[in-house]
Amino acid sequence: MKRYSAFAIAREAISRHQNWERVWAAPEPGKEYDVIIAGAGGHGLATAYYLGKNHDIKRVAIIEKGWLGGGNTGRNTTIIRSNYLQDPSAAIYEKSRSLYETISQELNYNVMFSPRGVMMLAQTEHEIRGYRRTAHANFCQNVETEFIGPKRVKELCPIINIAGPRYPVLGALWQPRGGTARHDAVAWGYARACSAMGMHIIQKCEITGICREGGIVTGVDTTKGRIRCNRLGIMVAGHSGVLADMAGFRLPIESVALQAMISEPIKPCMDVVVMANTVHGYMSQSDKGEMVIGGGADGFNNYTQRGSFHHLEETVRALIETFPMISRLKMLRHWGGIVDMTGDRSPIISKTPVDGVFINCGWGTGGFKAIPGSGWAMAELMAKGTSCLADPFSLDRFREGRFIDESVAAGVAH
Amino acid sequence: MLILRCPYCGICADETELTPGGEAHLTRFGPGSTDEDFEAYLFLRQNPKGVHIERWCHTCGCGKWFHAVRCTATLEIFGTYSAQNLRPPPDIIEAIKIRRPDWGGFHK
Ligand SMILES: Cc1cc2nc3c(=O)[nH]c(=O)nc-3n(C[C@H](O)[C@H](O)[C@H](O)COP(=O)(O)OP(=O)(O)OC[C@H]3O[C@@H](n4cnc5c(N)ncnc54)[C@H](O)[C@@H]3O)c2cc1C
Ligand SMILES: [Zn+2]
């Protein structure tokens, strides 16, 4: 792999930028690998990367039915924060957030991590109490957050209407080190590093079956034939239930559509991320100037990547009260992704009833921020069979009533 | 926008009039059941990409809960029926089989 640098730009300019090395290779699948990863989203690619980097397991294939990063990793609103309530969540999300701080240098690929600060508005008395509690919890977890009053909110985000008639802004949970990153670049950066380690990223190849002998995984059937492996990691977000079904078990997961939209580009007007969880809307401004807007998930099981229009209406209606200036903005695009929701709104990073099959799913509406940390933990789990970051998120927590309840903490995840 | 016919009041209701209630025909295990059964009832779901039998409530209409069969991969609706039924009625099973010949059938 040729490193990217200012010098490289000058060097490639000599040949009019026609000879840049391909970012990742496009090999045909081999017969057998030590590890197969199902799904080349952020979580699958990051897991492969840390398998190679931290555990020296490099005979790895990442199998993707579409194109890499084309799932939720390329469809999210890129909010990165770690101000969760429960200790296991704080541990893995804070690990992830801190990895984001250095990942561009490490991967030699600019993921444009922008720690611009994330603000979660308190618009009811209940939310004030909830966020104060979270701020105290975060203090004990070594996660830097602070509960701030309305005056400070207005200073940090002047376009906010503090005195909304229905939902005035009463304060906010402020995480100054939260922010955003470029979602595609996260997938591309990890993919480039995996390919450089000799791993195979196989796109346009769908997994159609999971082969087992005596309860142990032996490989996968794909649209490009059978590929053998000793260990399989399933990281297919909304399609987790489909792959679990191939392996013969069920998951505590339902797949629903989550939508987002983006406005026409305008001049810089907001340099923080604002989430308004009571009214279900959140917004940030992209580097191109578009307002990036998201809201709540749809209510019914859905695999179509098309959501219901009235949810977009609700989101916009809610945000217009808090940000009156956006009421005249034209929306340019809207899209949906299929998110994998668990009952406690926490992910699953776990062994499964099939020996050698591991699953990482249930990130639902909020797994972009977790990509580096989740990959780190999942790689450790797959290499060693245990990982202190991953273990609390095992599948059996539902049977044992050991929930990591984040649904009460946030209302919406993202 | 989904449009479902409420089997009670007969109205073709827009999705905005309705509240989704998830997988239908779950066996409700209670105290004294095994951990596995209780877990399955509370958390484990089919979540199929394809034919899904589910509950809906006509919240902004007659207020009744009913059942619908819908394809989660296309949003096609195969029919609705009253919540008094313990399984999909034969005409709906037939309608599904015509449209989805490789459907695995209703299992409880
Ligand atoms: C609209 C929207 C907004 C969001 N906003 C945020 C946010 O602000 N902050 C945040 O942290 N998170 C957010 N999320 C959530 C976040 O996007 C996801 O949790 C995260 O991207 C999941 O990554 P993944 O790698 O698990 O899944 P994906 O990126 O979806 O990757 C899974 C891959 O598996 C592939 N696959 C599926 N089936 C098969 C098969 N049979 N064979 C081979 N490959 C298969 C898919 O094609 C896909 O590429 C948002 C999500 C959406 C939809
Ligand atoms: Zn009705």
Side-chain angles (χ1 to χ4, degrees):
Chain A
M1 180 179 88
K2 286 193 195 160
R3 284 185 66 80
Y4 293 152
S5 64
F7 169 73
I9 295 176
R11 182 191 65 218
E12 298 297 326
I14 296 167
S15 56
R16 295 174 181 273
H17 298 290
Q18 298 302 303
N19 294 320
W20 283 100
E21 190 182 51
R22 285 196 75 100
V23 182
W24 51 80
E28 282 306 307
K31 291 244 173 317
E32 185 173 356
Y33 298 89
D34 292 335
V35 172
I36 289 181
I37 304 284
H43 289 266
L45 291 162
T47 301
Y49 173 74
Y50 292 112
L51 274 173
K53 181 177 171 251
N54 294 353
H55 307 284
D56 204 35
I57 298 175
K58 295 183 179 158
R59 251 178 27 113
V60 176
I62 305 138
I63 300 183
E64 166 58 50
K65 78 173 160 124
W67 64 94
L68 72 89
N72 294 344
T73 300
R75 293 165 185 271
N76 69 83
T77 45
T78 76
I79 299 176
I80 295 169
R81 61 184 181 90
S82 59
N83 53 354
Y84 284 74
L85 181 65
Q86 311 294 348
D87 291 349
S89 320
I92 195 163
Y93 287 110
E94 178 63 6
K95 171 78 182 169
S96 197
R97 194 203 54 74
S98 64
L99 284 171
Y100 264 120
E101 289 185 335
T102 52
I103 202 71
S104 294
Q105 287 77 6
E106 183 179 329
L107 297 177
N108 180 234
Y109 201 96
N110 189 359
V111 306
M112 296 164 79
F113 177 54
S114 159
R116 58 183 67 182
V118 173
M119 196 192 281
M120 294 168 78
L121 301 181
Q123 294 181 288
T124 61
E125 288 296 328
H126 171 79
E127 264 184 315
I128 296 182
R129 280 199 296 274
Y131 288 146
R132 279 191 192 282
R133 179 182 175 210
T134 306
H136 291 314
N138 291 163
F139 183 78
C140 300
Q141 294 153 343
N142 274 330
V143 176
E144 187 193 345
T145 63
E146 184 189 348
F147 187 84
I148 57 175
K151 204 166 140 256
R152 186 80 199 290
V153 171
K154 185 79 181 168
E155 277 163 22
L156 286 164
C157 184
I159 65 169
I160 254 186
N161 174 20
I162 296 290
R166 258 199 316 165
Y167 291 112
V169 174
L170 307 171
L173 181 65
W174 169 238
Q175 183 172 27
R177 285 162 175 255
T180 59
R182 179 163 182 222
H183 48 13
D184 296 326
V186 174
W188 296 340
Y190 277 119
R192 175 167 170 260
C194 288
S195 185
M197 284 190 273
M199 296 179 179
H200 286 181
I201 303 171
I202 300 156
Q203 304 185 66
K204 293 190 195 142
C205 177
E206 181 169 353
I207 293 180
T208 53
I210 295 174
C211 319
R212 287 156 285 160
E213 270 164 36
I216 302 172
V217 68
T218 56
V220 293
D221 282 325
T222 75
T223 46
K224 293 190 176 176
R226 178 164 294 187
I227 310 173
R228 297 179 62 84
C229 67
N230 306 324
R231 270 167 286 178
L232 170 68
I234 301 177
M235 275 154 275
V236 294
H239 280 75
S240 300
V242 177
L243 271 89
D245 189 46
M246 291 176 196
F249 59 92
R250 279 195 300 168
L251 290 171
I253 291 225
E254 303 213 58
S255 299
V256 300
L258 176 68
Q259 304 176 84
M261 68 199 125
I262 203 159
S263 77
E264 59 191 322
I266 55 175
K267 288 194 175 162
C269 64
M270 178 171 152
D271 59 0
V272 293
V273 179
V274 177
M275 307 176 65
N277 293 343
T278 291
V279 296
H280 260 207
Y282 57 92
M283 189 162 86
S284 64
Q285 188 167 24
S286 76
D287 293 340
K288 286 185 281 181
E290 305 138 326
M291 305 310 285
V292 182
I293 294 175
D298 289 11
F300 56 85
N301 298 50
N302 188 349
Y303 281 87
T304 65
Q305 294 187 330
R306 285 197 310 269
S308 304
F309 189 72
H310 63 99
H311 287 290
L312 292 176
E313 271 184 314
E314 281 160 17
T315 303
V316 172
R317 195 163 63 214
L319 286 176
I320 282 177
E321 185 185 302
T322 311
F323 300 97
M325 66 160 276
I326 69 167
S327 67
R328 295 294 176 93
L329 281 187
K330 292 188 190 70
M331 292 301 148
L332 285 194
R333 297 189 300 281
H334 96 269
W335 63 91
I338 299 305
V339 294
D340 38 341
M341 308 293 276
T342 58
D344 59 1
R345 298 293 182 266
S346 284
I348 295 165
I349 311 172
S350 182
K351 297 178 182 173
T352 69
V354 181
D355 261 358
V357 176
F358 298 79
I359 194 157
N360 179 330
C361 63
W363 293 98
T365 61
F368 173 70
K369 63 178 72 65
I371 285 171
S374 153
W376 184 286
M378 182 72 176
E380 191 174 21
L381 178 68
M382 289 187 73
K384 297 185 177 162
T386 176
S387 153
C388 59
L389 282 176
D391 292 342
F393 296 96
S394 63
L395 250 180
D396 46 20
R397 75 170 186 270
F398 294 93
R399 183 171 341 130
E400 294 167 4
R402 200 166 36 75
F403 309 117
I404 303 171
D405 194 349
E406 292 296 345
S407 57
V408 288
V412 290
H414 311 295
Chain B
M1 172 81 63
L2 293 179
I3 301 173
L4 298 178
R5 200 184 141 277
C6 171
Y8 292 99
C9 62
I11 283 177
C12 283
D14 279 358
E15 193 186 318
T16 46
E17 251 181 75
L18 302 161
T19 308
E23 187 177 323
H25 303 301
L26 295 174
T27 305
R28 293 181 161 67
F29 289 96
S33 55
T34 64
D35 285 358
E36 281 70 23
D37 284 342
F38 199 55
E39 180 197 20
Y41 154 48
L42 282 180
F43 300 108
L44 302 185
R45 294 294 176 264
Q46 304 287 341
N47 192 24
K49 185 174 186 176
V51 177
H52 191 234
I53 308 178
E54 58 193 19
R55 305 170 73 226
W56 286 85
C57 181
H58 194 185
T59 328
C60 301
C62 66
K64 290 258 193 285
W65 282 97
F66 64 91
H67 291 151
V69 187
R70 187 176 58 87
C71 176
T72 61
T74 61
L75 303 188
E76 179 178 354
I77 290 154
F78 301 106
T80 56
Y81 55 98
S82 103
Q84 263 72 45
N85 298 31
L86 295 177
R87 50 183 8 263
D91 57 320
I92 292 187
I93 299 265
E94 215 35 55
I96 305 168
K97 281 187 175 156
I98 291 170
R99 303 283 300 155
R100 297 285 182 281
D102 48 3
W103 175 54
F106 173 73
H107 301 290
K108 181 134 182 194

